[in-house]
Amino acid sequence: MALGKIETKNKNKIIKVIAGALLVVNVVLTCGYVKTNTELNKAETLIEKTKSYNKLLKDKNDELKEDLSYEVNSESDIRLIRDDLISTVKEVVKSRDREIAEIDVLRALNSTENRIMDEYIRVASLILATMETETGFKHMVHKNPNGTVDYGIMQVNEVVVPHVKEALGKHMDPINNKDHNVDAGSYEIYECYLKAKEKHPEDVIWWTYAYYNRGMYFENTEAWKNINHPSHKKVKKQADVRSEIFRECYEAYYKALAESI
């Protein structure tokens, strides 16, 4: 469960609002330490110590958010965090001669969850966009003009298979195994994504697919670097067209996934 920021001003008003809301729903609190002059940190302690605070905050969210400067994200999976994980964090803090409120542990965990979830959606969108751009979600084999062959729904080139085996294990067979093909393509597109973030932060998605489609070192080729090269315009146009298709796919999947979570 995520709690946003609570403003530190008007502390007595906050306590009155919370205490009044609890009385309305006849919630019996066992700690009995809420008073009108209680400090803000005791309001957080009340939330901490109340065994049913998940349900309590969910029920009172709409009422409280108009009077308090925070909203309760009661739908977050952070409520599923195990108690022993919270205890572990508190023990580490204690071993460092510090103290941390449980609610602040939850805040830290929730922030982590949000960042991981965003990266999860981003990577899933990269993979789906690769599948669509490369094959339209079909499993196929394609022979390139240079004689190499691309395999599967992710069109993993045979040249990168040894690299994939080194990274993911000798058992990997992206040529014949459909699951391995997706794993290999996912590994490759994420590598391209990391390189694009580092070298071209101004246009990460465009460059991510350019690396995937044209090779990780295509920028070093004469056809790309030399504007007078006979193939330069053709290569640039191909890269533009394919990367723009990929970008459109990526943005569609990212938007849909982000809105659904």
Side-chain angles (χ1 to χ4, degrees):
M1 172 174 52
L3 293 179
K5 296 182 178 178
I6 303 178
E7 293 182 352
T8 57
K9 63 181 180 180
N10 299 323
K11 296 179 180 178
N12 290 341
K13 179 182 177 182
I14 294 174
I15 300 308
K16 291 177 182 178
V17 172
I18 294 177
L22 295 178
L23 289 173
V24 169
V25 294
N26 294 315
V27 176
V28 179
L29 302 176
T30 59
C31 297
Y33 48 69
V34 178
K35 297 180 181 179
T36 56
N37 62 345
T38 307
E39 295 181 352
L40 178 59
N41 67 323
K42 288 192 175 181
E44 294 188 343
T45 303
L46 171 62
I47 297 171
E48 250 185 293
K49 298 296 183 181
T50 303
K51 294 180 180 179
S52 60
Y53 68 87
N54 274 332
K55 183 176 184 305
L56 171 67
L57 291 176
K58 182 177 180 180
D59 291 344
K60 304 314 297 178
N61 182 34
D62 291 339
E63 291 181 38
L64 294 178
K65 69 182 181 182
E66 294 180 2
D67 296 297
L68 305 178
S69 59
Y70 73 88
E71 294 184 18
V72 178
N73 179 12
S74 56
E75 299 304 317
S76 172
D77 286 339
I78 199 65
R79 65 182 182 275
L80 301 179
I81 291 291
R82 296 172 302 171
D83 288 341
D84 60 343
L85 184 58
I86 296 172
S87 298
T88 298
V89 174
K90 294 178 76 173
E91 286 174 8
V92 173
V93 172
K94 186 176 181 180
S95 73
R96 298 173 61 79
D97 297 323
R98 299 287 189 274
E99 291 183 3
I100 187 171
E102 182 173 308
I103 199 165
D104 288 326
V105 178
L106 288 170
R107 285 176 177 138
L109 294 174
N110 183 68
S111 181
T112 302
E113 177 199 43
N114 289 341
R115 292 181 181 277
I116 291 174
M117 186 58 68
D118 182 71
E119 191 69 1
Y120 174 87
I121 294 172
R122 197 172 300 282
V123 175
S125 300
L126 288 171
I127 295 168
L128 290 165
T130 303
M131 289 178 174
E132 180 172 340
T133 306
E134 289 289 313
T135 64
F137 303 109
K138 297 181 177 67
H139 293 272
M140 60 174 61
V141 176
H142 173 74
K143 188 172 183 178
N144 298 302
N146 62 6
T148 63
V149 181
D150 298 329
Y151 292 91
I153 195 170
M154 300 286 281
Q155 289 292 276
V156 176
N157 190 277
E158 60 184 342
V159 173
V160 306
V161 171
H163 174 63
V164 170
K165 285 179 174 287
E166 183 179 350
L168 302 181
K170 299 296 183 183
H171 68 288
M172 293 295 295
D173 183 12
I175 292 176
N176 300 300
N177 186 302
K178 292 181 178 179
D179 291 338
H180 292 181
N181 186 270
V182 174
D183 287 341
S186 301
Y187 175 79
E188 190 180 357
I189 194 68
Y190 192 64
E191 276 200 319
C192 295
Y193 169 67
L194 293 178
K195 182 173 182 177
K197 281 210 304 184
E198 180 182 354
K199 294 197 67 177
H200 301 283
E202 76 288 349
D203 201 356
V204 174
I205 302 304
W206 191 100
W207 282 94
T208 294
Y209 185 72
Y211 286 135
Y212 188 89
N213 181 244
R214 310 200 68 83
M216 293 283 276
Y217 304 101
F218 79 94
E219 291 172 283
N220 299 329
T221 64
E222 282 299 311
W224 182 264
K225 293 190 304 181
N226 186 356
I227 61 174
N228 296 317
H229 191 280
S231 299
H232 178 74
K233 289 184 179 179
K234 180 180 178 181
V235 168
K236 290 282 285 186
K237 183 177 180 179
Q238 287 176 340
D240 276 333
V241 170
R242 304 248 333 150
S243 284
E244 286 304 323
I245 292 172
F246 180 82
R247 192 208 304 273
E248 189 277 328
C249 293
Y250 168 83
E251 289 176 350
Y253 290 118
Y254 184 84
K255 182 175 184 292
L257 289 170
E259 289 176 351
S260 68
I261 294 178

